[in-house]
């Protein structure tokens, strides 16, 4: 038995050594031992390549504005590990995580002795979430974010009220497949029999697969730019405004505080899903709740403005689609700024295309290393870049402080790449910028 939070957390993180082991048998084994907590809650399932966390946040915030208690299971974390299991946006306590670890540890040890082998870190955390929401803190609804893929993801043992697939890109190709169609097939694995699926997928090959899987499972499908659409989008200084047209209720002049055109699509998915739940009588969600929830929704590390003077932005653009969205927003919003860009990434990503896009917009690009098993080395990233003004830095903390201190008025600092990197950078810079402002 663990006696401290640190002991429990160290045990969870140590399971990273088991890597990724797709399949549901270990989860089913643990759920059976726990009395099937996954059947004792109302859920929504959200998958896709990018935008999952933002869509979770938009939908959670809408339901919360409607007066409901909403659990969420997300990954990775940005500021604190506990936030992966949250209620109304508030992370579980250290004591609760310790209690959960002591429930799951004996099962993990027992499972390790079977032919199935021990559960991975993600499987352990997923099991904790199921037990927490079914036993320790029963919420009105729980929104589960897919960890990887969908078909064999640990979360894919639920029978949700609705499923959402945000978009599909060529990410995790070593596991999910090398084409849009192959990856779409894995993502579409979360579509359940007679359960509505909402999607913002645009790539024709990927969308065709999702449509085929929805048809096969008699699942009503709602597609962006077909069954629902966005119009009159306008970017604001600190957010976006747009109209949405749906089969349930069109709503004009919706405002979100998260920045980026892509965030309007994530928000639209949340809106139509909330309207669907309202129509089915599962949850009563008013237009007022939709408006208030969208405006309040906040998800850290997504084109987040940490400081206006000096201008510092962090964004977890961890794959080609994310980098495309980032570069679009930077060039459209800050065309007159010199962009000093800092980038870190996982070694198993398709780095050449990501770095090529960043090279085009950066006045200076700095590649950094960070402490994570799959992280690429700074020199590895440097060698891929074709930028005439590039450098590699291993100790990113002092470097970022120095860059901020010497940032000129016509320049901006953008830190981007792996969400695991952003989870280290954001609290570090939040603390530095807060103290810097206080000292002034």
């Amino acid at each position: 038995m663990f006696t401290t939070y640190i002991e429990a957390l160290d045990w969870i993180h140590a399971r990273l050594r088991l890597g990724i082991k797709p399949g549901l048998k270990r989860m089913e084994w643990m759920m059976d031992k726990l009395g099937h907590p996954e059947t004792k809650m109302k859920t929504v399932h959200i998958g896709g390549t990018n935008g999952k966390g933002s869509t979770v946040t938009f939908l959670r915030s809408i339901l919360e504005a409607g007066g409901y208690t909403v659990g969420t299971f997300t990954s990775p974390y940005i500021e604190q590990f506990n936030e992966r299991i949250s209620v109304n946006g508030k992370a579980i306590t250290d004591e609760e995580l310790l209690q959960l670890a002591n429930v799951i540890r004996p099962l993990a040890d027992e499972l390790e002795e079977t032919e199935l082998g021990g559960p991975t870190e993600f499987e352990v955390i997923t099991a904790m979430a199921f037990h927490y929401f079914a036993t320790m803190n029963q919420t009105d609804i729980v929104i589960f974010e897919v960890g990887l893929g969908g078909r064999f993801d640990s979360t894919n043992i639920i029978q949700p009220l609705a499923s959402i697939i945000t978009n599909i890109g060529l990410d995790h190709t070593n596991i999910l497949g090398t084409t849009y169609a192959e990856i779409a097939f894995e993502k579409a694995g979360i579509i359940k029999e007679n359960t509505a699926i909402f999607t913002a997928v645009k790539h024709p090959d990927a969308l065709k697969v999702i449509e085929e899987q929805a048809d096969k499972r008699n699942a009503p499908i709602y597609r962006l730019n077909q069954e629902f659409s966005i119009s009159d989008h306008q970017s604001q200084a600190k957010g976006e405004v747009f109209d949405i047209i749906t089969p349930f209720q069109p709503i004009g002049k919706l405002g979100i505080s998260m920045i980026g055109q892509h965030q309007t699509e994530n928000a639209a998915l949340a809106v139509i899903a909330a309207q669907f739940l309202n129509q089915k009588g599962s949850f009563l969600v008013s237009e007022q709740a939709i408006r208030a929830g969208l405006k309040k929704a906040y998800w850290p590390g997504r084109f987040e403005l940490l400081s206006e003077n000096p201008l510092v932005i962090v964004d977890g653009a961890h794959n080609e689609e994310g980098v495309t969205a980032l570069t679009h927003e930077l060039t459209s919003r800050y065309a007159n700024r010199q962009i000093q860009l800092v980038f870190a990434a996982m070694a198993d990503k398709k780095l050449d295309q990501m770095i090529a896009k960043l090279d085009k917009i950066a006045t200076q690009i700095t590649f950094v290393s960070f402490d994570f098993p799959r992280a690429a080395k700074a020199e590895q990233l440097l060698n891929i870049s074709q930028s005439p003004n590039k450098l590699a830095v291993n100790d990113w903390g002092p470097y970022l402080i120095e860059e901020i201190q010497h940032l000129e008025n016509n320049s901006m600092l953008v830190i981007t790449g792996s969400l695991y990197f952003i989870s280290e950078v954001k609290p570090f810079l939040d603390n530095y910028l807060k103290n810097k402002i206080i000292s002034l």
Side-chain angles (χ1 to χ4, degrees):
M1 297 288 283
F2 303 112
T3 57
T4 69
Y5 168 78
I6 296 301
E7 287 177 354
L9 199 58
D10 286 346
W11 173 73
I12 294 169
H13 287 325
R15 306 201 73 77
L16 281 169
R17 64 182 167 78
L18 297 174
I20 299 168
K21 301 196 295 186
L24 300 177
K25 290 189 180 298
R26 286 174 301 278
M27 284 301 301
E28 290 167 349
W29 186 95
M30 287 192 288
M31 293 303 100
D32 186 57
K33 293 285 186 177
L34 290 169
H36 291 285
E38 78 281 9
T39 66
K40 299 172 183 177
M41 62 190 80
K42 293 179 179 179
T43 61
V44 171
H45 208 183
I46 299 183
T49 301
N50 293 80
K52 297 189 296 292
S54 297
T55 306
V56 168
T57 301
F58 282 127
L59 183 55
R60 187 264 297 169
S61 192
I62 289 170
L63 292 168
E64 189 180 343
Y68 295 100
T69 303
V70 188
T72 53
F73 177 68
T74 57
S75 61
Y77 66 94
I78 295 296
E79 295 171 334
Q80 179 194 22
F81 181 85
N82 301 26
E83 73 193 41
R84 297 179 71 166
I85 304 173
S86 296
V87 177
N88 285 359
K90 184 178 180 181
I92 61 171
T93 66
D94 292 356
E95 291 74 19
E96 287 173 319
L97 187 134
L98 174 60
Q99 185 178 341
L100 287 168
N102 280 324
V103 170
I104 302 302
R105 169 69 184 272
L107 299 183
D109 290 345
E110 185 179 349
L111 183 55
E112 195 133 19
E113 299 303 315
T114 72
E115 61 182 12
L116 296 174
T120 65
E121 184 206 37
F122 190 74
E123 287 170 334
V124 161
I125 301 165
T126 308
M128 288 179 177
F130 283 129
H131 180 72
Y132 180 78
F133 291 121
T135 305
M136 292 172 58
N137 192 346
Q138 294 180 323
T139 57
D140 295 314
I141 189 169
V142 185
I143 307 171
F144 280 93
E145 177 188 338
V146 170
L148 176 66
R151 188 163 63 106
F152 292 126
D153 186 73
S154 304
T155 62
N156 201 28
I157 56 174
I158 58 175
Q159 295 295 323
L161 298 172
S163 303
I164 298 173
I165 299 176
T166 55
N167 64 20
I168 287 174
L170 298 178
D171 200 11
H172 298 293
T173 52
N174 58 322
I175 298 172
L176 302 179
T178 58
T179 68
Y180 282 94
E182 288 173 338
I183 294 174
F185 180 74
E186 297 300 326
K187 305 284 186 184
I190 69 170
I191 301 174
K192 301 296 192 300
E193 195 76 22
N194 299 311
T195 302
I197 172 72
F198 303 88
T199 184
V201 170
K202 300 188 194 69
H203 193 281
D205 293 346
L207 184 57
K208 181 182 178 182
V209 171
I210 291 172
E211 291 169 339
E212 289 171 349
Q213 294 303 311
D215 183 63
K216 183 178 179 181
R217 296 179 175 88
N218 299 307
I221 186 168
Y222 298 83
R223 298 158 290 189
L224 180 65
N225 299 326
Q226 295 190 54
E227 286 75 22
F228 68 106
S229 60
I230 296 166
S231 62
D232 294 330
H233 166 232
Q234 299 176 5
S235 290
Q236 307 289 310
K238 294 184 179 180
E240 315 291 331
V241 174
F242 63 99
D243 299 348
I244 182 170
I245 301 169
T246 78
F248 308 114
Q249 178 194 358
I251 308 177
K253 302 300 180 187
L254 285 169
I256 58 175
S257 300
M258 287 198 270
I259 293 173
Q261 181 180 349
H262 58 290
Q263 293 293 9
T264 67
E265 298 180 2
N266 298 328
L269 285 168
V271 170
I272 190 171
Q275 290 181 333
F276 172 80
L277 294 175
N278 179 74
Q279 189 209 44
K280 291 295 182 183
S282 304
F283 294 86
L284 299 178
V285 184
S286 66
E287 179 180 326
Q288 181 182 1
I290 289 172
R291 289 187 180 279
L294 286 186
K295 193 66 179 176
K296 186 179 179 182
Y298 160 73
W299 192 232
R302 275 66 172 182
F303 207 92
E304 184 176 0
L305 189 67
L306 292 189
S307 168
E308 292 187 74
N309 185 25
L311 183 54
V312 180
I313 290 172
V314 295
D315 184 72
H318 59 282
N319 52 34
E320 189 176 347
E321 288 73 25
V323 168
T324 298
L326 170 64
T327 55
H328 169 78
E329 292 303 322
L330 289 174
T331 53
S332 61
R333 287 174 177 273
Y334 302 105
N336 298 322
R337 293 268 188 169
Q338 301 289 306
I339 300 173
Q340 296 178 221
L341 200 144
V342 177
F343 180 73
M346 295 300 177
D348 54 7
K349 296 286 183 176
K350 295 175 72 68
L351 297 169
D352 52 348
Q353 292 298 318
M354 296 167 66
I355 291 174
K357 290 176 185 291
L358 296 173
D359 280 345
K360 289 180 181 179
I361 66 157
T363 307
Q364 172 185 294
I365 186 164
T366 303
F367 301 99
V368 299
S369 306
F370 70 107
D371 186 19
F372 195 82
R374 290 164 39 222
K377 299 298 183 185
E379 290 292 340
Q380 175 189 350
L381 300 172
L382 183 79
N383 291 334
I384 297 172
S385 172
Q386 299 298 313
S387 172
N389 194 7
K390 61 182 180 179
L391 64 154
V393 172
N394 288 318
D395 194 357
W396 55 263
Y399 174 78
L400 290 180
I401 291 175
E402 185 176 350
E403 287 296 294
I404 290 172
Q405 289 174 342
H406 295 95
L407 203 60
E408 298 179 356
N409 290 334
N410 67 334
S411 298
M412 63 187 300
L413 181 64
V414 180
I415 304 109
T416 188
S418 167
L419 285 168
Y420 293 98
F421 173 56
I422 298 301
S423 73
E424 295 184 18
V425 169
K426 180 173 157 48
F428 174 82
L429 286 184
D430 278 341
N431 182 62
Y432 168 71
L433 291 166
K434 178 182 177 182
N435 291 331
K436 178 175 181 289
I437 291 169
I438 290 172
S439 65
L440 295 176

